[in-house]
Amino acid sequence: MDLRQIRYFIVVCEMRSLSRAGEVLGVSQPSLSRQIQLLEAELRHHLLARTGRGVEPTEAGLRFLEHAKTLDAMAQHARQDMRAFRAAAQDKVRLGMPHRVARRMAPHIVQSFRRLHPDAALTLAEGLSSEMNEWLVKGRVDLALLYDPPSSSLLRFESIYREDLVLAYGKACRPVPPPRVRARDLGRYPLVLPSAPNTIRALVDRTCRELNVTLDVVAEVDVVHTILETMAEEGMFTIIPRSALSDMAGQDFLAFSSIVEPVIMNNLTLATPASGPLPPLAEATAQIIRGLEMKRFFA
């Protein structure tokens, strides 16, 4: 048994899938399966059972999972302690952010960081929330801002800001939708939406699934600017955060309706490893983020 096998087992149980766990860990599925088999051989128990949708821990697997989490937490704490020791010498922290959040918040975070820690360095990494989630699990960033991350025993999440999603369209659209559109009526509108696993798409799909609403998705486009241009030219609609309308140059041609019953809210969270306290410089960066007046960035 080694720490790598223990980590692999925890992530497989978290993902309920060898293939998804392999993607998160950056390991091929055959290699991952082999390591789990070696772990099972050493423990003399089957730890995982295959199902139609992936894998589930057996009774023995659930029992071992508690031990595995304890051992992994101890190992992660040791790594973080050594990172903190190294950071004390290097004075460097790594922060992950989605692109849209980085454009709005990065300058203010950097300015505050330089003012409070003039001898330290802040490294910013940008990507999709799903990418930042994986980078945080792999230790490539020290903390991250994520939209609506999936629950995980490996990470801690702290809500930073929630914003409503709206139905956006071109002002030339006829007939004009009402100012308030019920979520159960979203199926009436031809939509341009990002493809899964985009967090906005997941929120909209989950809400509509709960309401038994079938969406009319006529195109899937993953870049907000392209979505807005596409639906404006073709007389179609999209669902985006309210503040995203101001990201579009010449947004005067855009209009929106509020979505109600229910309001669909995204959730920007501050994510950190769950295995122990943050290194001092990472915690100081988290405090900078917590102290920001978030509404000014998403007005």
Side-chain angles (χ1 to χ4, degrees):
M1 183 191 315
D2 62 31
L3 292 174
R4 179 182 57 176
Q5 292 172 344
I6 289 172
R7 184 71 165 178
Y8 287 0
F9 176 68
I10 293 172
V11 176
V12 170
C13 290
E14 189 81 42
M15 298 290 107
R16 295 296 198 270
S17 165
L18 286 166
S19 60
R20 290 199 297 271
E23 292 174 0
V24 170
L25 293 164
V27 178
S28 68
Q29 185 171 337
S31 297
L32 185 57
S33 297
R34 176 60 178 163
Q35 293 301 318
I36 297 296
Q37 289 169 0
L38 290 173
L39 184 60
E40 290 178 322
E42 182 173 353
L43 296 174
R44 298 182 181 180
H45 282 285
H46 290 296
L47 302 177
L48 297 172
R50 293 189 178 276
T51 68
R53 294 180 293 179
V55 294
E56 294 283 345
T58 63
E59 184 178 355
L62 289 172
R63 187 180 183 92
F64 178 69
L65 182 59
E66 297 304 314
H67 297 297
K69 288 179 178 178
T70 300
L71 292 169
D72 184 66
M74 293 174 63
Q76 290 295 322
H77 180 71
R79 292 190 188 100
Q80 287 186 1
D81 183 65
M82 296 311 296
R83 285 196 198 110
F85 180 76
R86 181 184 63 188
Q90 294 181 339
D91 291 328
K92 182 177 181 179
V93 64
R94 302 161 299 174
L95 170 64
M97 310 173 74
H99 300 297
R100 194 168 73 89
V101 174
R103 285 198 302 272
R104 293 170 179 269
M105 296 176 59
H108 302 273
I109 294 174
V110 170
Q111 289 171 12
S112 296
F113 186 90
R114 288 188 62 190
R115 184 178 67 254
L116 296 172
H117 307 281
D119 297 324
L122 173 62
T123 298
L124 297 180
E126 292 187 36
L128 299 176
S129 287
S130 56
E131 293 175 322
M132 295 296 103
N133 191 91
E134 292 183 15
W135 287 11
L136 191 54
V137 169
K138 294 177 181 179
R140 293 178 60 182
V141 294
D142 301 301
L143 65 168
L145 288 167
L146 309 174
Y147 275 114
D148 298 284
S151 61
S152 172
S153 61
L154 303 174
L155 301 173
R156 284 192 298 260
F157 302 113
E158 175 184 345
S159 181
I160 296 296
Y161 186 73
R162 296 178 66 87
E163 181 181 12
D164 61 317
L165 305 186
V166 298
L167 180 71
Y169 51 91
K171 287 184 177 178
C173 176
R174 295 292 183 274
V176 178
R180 293 158 58 91
V181 172
R182 296 182 303 174
R184 69 185 60 193
D185 294 330
L186 290 174
R188 301 177 181 178
Y189 301 94
L191 295 170
V192 182
L193 292 176
S195 57
N198 178 276
T199 53
I200 292 175
R201 180 65 181 272
L203 277 174
V204 173
D205 284 349
R206 183 167 63 246
T207 300
C208 291
R209 188 165 54 247
E210 292 171 353
L211 296 172
N212 293 318
V213 172
T214 300
L215 294 175
D216 180 17
V217 181
V218 297
E220 294 185 327
V221 180
D222 291 334
V223 179
V224 171
H225 283 70
T226 306
I227 289 177
L228 294 176
E229 290 171 355
T230 300
M231 64 91 183
E233 291 294 330
E234 301 295 334
M236 293 183 285
F237 300 78
T238 192
I239 300 173
I240 55 175
R242 186 186 298 263
S243 64
L245 291 167
S246 62
D247 290 339
M248 182 70 177
Q251 67 266 22
D252 289 345
F253 70 88
L254 296 172
F256 70 90
S257 298
S258 299
I259 299 173
V260 297
E261 299 179 25
V263 175
I264 306 176
M265 305 281 288
N266 67 13
N267 186 19
L268 181 63
T269 65
L270 176 62
T272 56
S275 52
L278 285 174
L281 195 58
E283 178 59 35
T285 306
Q287 290 293 353
I288 290 173
I289 293 170
R290 295 182 184 113
L292 294 173
E293 185 182 349
M294 302 302 296
K295 286 186 177 180
R296 64 181 290 200
F297 301 112
F298 297 95

